[in-house]
Amino acid sequence: MSGDASENTMMFKFQYEDVNQARDILLMVYDALKEKGYNPINQLVGYLLSGDPAYITSHNNARSLIRRLERDELLEELVKNYLDQR
């Protein structure tokens, strides 16, 4: 058995208050994108994949809101919500 660290499973934990904040921010950004006529799903995916805030409108302060959180926090909320729907 090798002691190589890449063979060990790492534990990832997040705080639930951040998840609630992530949910609120995602919903506000979604609404702002929709109000401006964008496809919110496409724009959010573009942002999450690239990290480029230009995918998010500045309407209703959405761009500033989404930048309050790290992308991994937003992804955690999306994955959690998706899996909770099962």
Side-chain angles (χ1 to χ4, degrees), residues 57-71:
T57 182
S58 58
H59 177 68
N60 288 344
N61 210 29
R63 190 174 295 157
S64 294
L65 285 171
I66 205 156
R67 294 176 80 185
R68 288 184 186 175
L69 298 173
E70 297 294 326
R71 287 182 295 156

Side-chain angles (χ1 to χ4, degrees), residues 75-86:
L75 286 167
E76 287 167 6
E77 172 60 17
L78 293 169
V79 170
K80 181 185 175 301
N81 187 273
Y82 179 82
L83 293 175
D84 284 349
Q85 299 298 316
R86 294 183 49 199

Side-chain angles (χ1 to χ4, degrees), residues 28-65:
M28 288 185 278
V29 169
Y30 179 93
D31 290 342
L33 287 164
K34 194 163 186 138
E35 285 176 19
K36 291 303 285 183
Y38 295 105
N39 179 320
I41 303 301
N42 289 347
Q43 297 305 113
L44 285 164
V45 168
Y47 171 71
L48 291 169
L49 290 176
S50 70
D52 185 351
Y55 282 98
I56 307 300
T57 182
S58 58
H59 177 68
N60 288 344
N61 210 29
R63 190 174 295 157
S64 294
L65 285 171

